[in-house]
Amino acid sequence: MTTRILTGITTTGTPHLGNYAGAIRPAIVASRAADADSFYFLADYHALIKCDDPARIQRSRLEIAATWLALGLDTDKATFYRQSDIPEIPELCWLLTCVAGKGLLNRAHAYKASVDKNVEQGEDPDAGITMGLFSYPVLMAADILMFNAHKVPVGRDQIQHVEMARDIGQRFNHLFGNGKELFTLPEAVIEEDVATLPGLDGRKMSKSYHNTIPLFGTAKQLKDAVARIVTDSKLPGEAKDADSSHLFTLYQAFAAPAQQAEFRAELESGLAWGEAKNRLYQLLESQLGEARERYNALISKPADLEDILLAGAAKARKTATPFLGELREAVGLRSFRSQAINTAGEKKKAGKSARFVSFRDEDGSFRFRLLDAAGEQLLLSKSFADGKAAGMVNKRLQSGEALDVREQDGAFGVWLDDECVAQSPAFADGDAREAAITRLREALAPQD
Ligand code: TRP
């Protein structure tokens, strides 16, 4: 079985070396595993919560997209998209908002911290707090649950949000799943052995400390940043303690073990800090130089990046569109076209009958499924150019007219006027197929 790994990157800044070692590099490595099905996306709706500078949002989306691609994310294998290109996400966000407890969200760290700060300053508790900030975890739950992610790699500050996604998903399953797990409940993964890089001053590398080393600045910017790394004042020739030097920690994050040992020995035998910085610079340049060229090439062709991301969104929507159709169905936002069977079959207990689910395919065409009482798919219709045509076929299938069911390798099709209008999934054997045909006939039998 494949594991679906999903994570979002908020698009408010420019990636630095710490983001690379701590998040981007491990995510790209994970996406290459044979059993990985990775969904990585630019959380640009989330960015709007923190930032009201359109130019910065736009610049950051471009830079982050180019960074991941330049560093080797394979978009044939992974699904890479912008959150804002998936309209199903805000729609699901609303469905989840309607079941998420306000009390649950009151406990979210980010919201609580803002309230505490207001109270401390003698302000109204909610001063300056938007509904975006308050609902942030619900949007994040929609990101995760939309794609039924198993694993969500995040920083420690985000664990609570993934747990809220579990809570909200569980509640939705309970209310609308009819015994079925509509949503997979996700798990946060914190990679323990991933490098947390120190910044220039030795504190954690972070934009808010202004101590970052740029990932894809020019070679000169990289060199200048490395030159600003704070060291102790030991002179050339004096032994340096590698373990207490964050310059060494930075070196370690990018060097093979043998290289690390060699560098440590040199520091201990008195290598000058200036020379040590030069070694670190050379190491970083050797690892990032080529990627920087790819980055610059990508950034200079934003229209190509747009195409890549739109293709990623189309791929993601292949999952999101039909799944949202099922969820709408589950909460009672159903087509009136399938109403006929329900009123006619009122004797049947709600939730126990087969049902039609209509949806739009990613290419905009109209289709429907017929699910049996247990939620198993009996039929998937062909694509129809318009909803009316799909509705007509749907209606005829329910009209009680004799069904023309034809077997076709391992599956069966339903024919109307010499055209196959819907097909079953493939079955393990003939018995399973026969049993499904029986369920189909029962489901579509005229109601009296
Ligand atoms: N909130 C996350 C962060 O700031 C970004 C994010 C948005 C995310 N949606 C997500 C991460 C879904 C994981 C899964 O880091």
Side-chain angles (χ1 to χ4, degrees), residues 6-10 41 43 46 50 136 140 143-144 152 154 158:
L6 176 145
T7 198
I9 312 108
T10 308
F41 67 96
H46 277 104
K50 300 185 193 165
Y136 182 110
M140 188 159 153
D143 293 331
I144 297 170
V152 184
V154 283
Q158 298 292 320

Side-chain angles (χ1 to χ4, degrees), residues 143-446:
D143 293 331
I144 297 170
L145 299 174
M146 182 86 261
F147 297 104
N148 283 312
H150 301 103
K151 304 230 177 260
V152 184
V154 283
R156 293 194 178 281
D157 59 322
Q158 298 292 320
I159 299 177
Q160 188 196 32
H161 294 151
V162 180
E163 278 165 4
M164 288 183 166
R166 280 182 77 88
D167 267 26
I168 296 169
Q170 204 159 24
R171 189 166 156 79
F172 195 96
N173 283 347
H174 175 72
L175 288 170
F176 303 114
N178 240 321
K180 190 177 144 206
E181 290 255 301
L182 286 165
F183 292 126
T184 302
L185 302 182
E187 245 174 78
V189 274
I190 307 296
E191 292 212 40
E192 297 295 349
D193 56 348
V194 146
T196 306
L197 291 195
L200 300 175
D201 56 359
R203 289 183 296 171
K204 178 182 172 201
M205 191 180 293
S206 160
K207 196 173 50 175
S208 34
Y209 295 147
H210 303 289
N211 65 355
T212 61
I213 298 177
L215 181 56
F216 291 135
T218 59
K220 176 158 188 328
Q221 283 169 333
L222 179 59
K223 192 164 196 156
D224 291 349
V226 169
R228 290 200 309 277
I229 294 174
V230 178
T231 62
D232 63 24
S233 50
K234 293 225 165 71
L235 297 171
E238 276 186 84
K240 321 271 185 308
D241 174 21
D243 293 318
S244 64
S245 150
H246 56 272
L247 189 148
F248 184 71
T249 312
L250 283 163
Y251 191 91
Q252 266 183 317
F254 297 94
Q259 243 177 333
Q260 295 174 24
E262 195 181 315
F263 192 49
R264 173 191 292 276
E266 284 185 296
L267 287 171
E268 283 166 1
S269 53
L271 186 73
W273 282 128
E275 188 48 36
K277 287 179 175 176
N278 193 32
R279 300 274 164 93
L280 174 61
Y281 164 70
Q282 295 295 347
L283 175 73
L284 293 175
E285 187 56 31
S286 71
Q287 293 204 6
L288 297 172
E290 273 177 33
R292 182 199 294 126
E293 279 176 29
R294 285 195 294 271
Y295 176 85
N296 289 333
L298 286 160
I299 283 279
S300 69
K301 291 198 182 123
D304 290 1
L305 276 171
E306 181 71 22
D307 290 342
I308 293 171
L309 290 166
L310 288 179
K315 198 165 144 195
R317 294 187 72 198
K318 276 195 182 157
T319 305
T321 309
F323 188 39
L324 187 72
E326 252 180 76
L327 298 170
R328 289 177 58 103
E329 181 77 14
V331 298
L333 304 176
R334 300 175 191 156
S335 162
F336 289 159
R337 290 207 177 86
S338 53
Q339 194 65 29
I341 195 175
N342 292 342
T343 32
E346 228 156 9
K347 282 178 293 180
K348 289 197 182 175
K349 272 220 184 105
K352 282 227 170 141
S353 51
R355 56 205 162 92
F356 283 92
V357 182
S358 306
F359 65 94
R360 298 282 297 263
D361 228 339
E362 80 275 3
D363 62 4
S365 65
F366 292 76
R367 304 179 81 165
F368 58 83
R369 298 175 202 283
L370 175 62
L371 306 176
D372 71 10
E376 290 295 315
Q377 184 168 314
L378 288 169
L379 290 176
L380 171 64
S381 79
K382 70 184 196 85
S383 297
F384 296 90
D386 63 295
K388 222 169 162 182
M392 293 285 287
V393 168
N394 192 315
K395 208 164 148 195
R396 273 192 59 194
L397 291 178
Q398 297 176 52
S399 67
E401 80 180 75
L403 274 185
D404 179 0
V405 179
R406 303 187 195 173
E407 289 174 10
Q408 36 195 216
D409 13 83
F412 59 81
V414 173
W415 293 65
L416 278 181
D417 307 332
D418 279 330
E419 188 194 9
C420 179
V421 293
Q423 280 182 301
S424 76
F427 296 100
D429 53 40
D431 286 350
R433 185 181 55 216
E434 285 314 310
I437 293 177
T438 307
R439 275 178 287 143
L440 174 74
R441 291 194 185 283
E442 280 168 12
L444 298 179

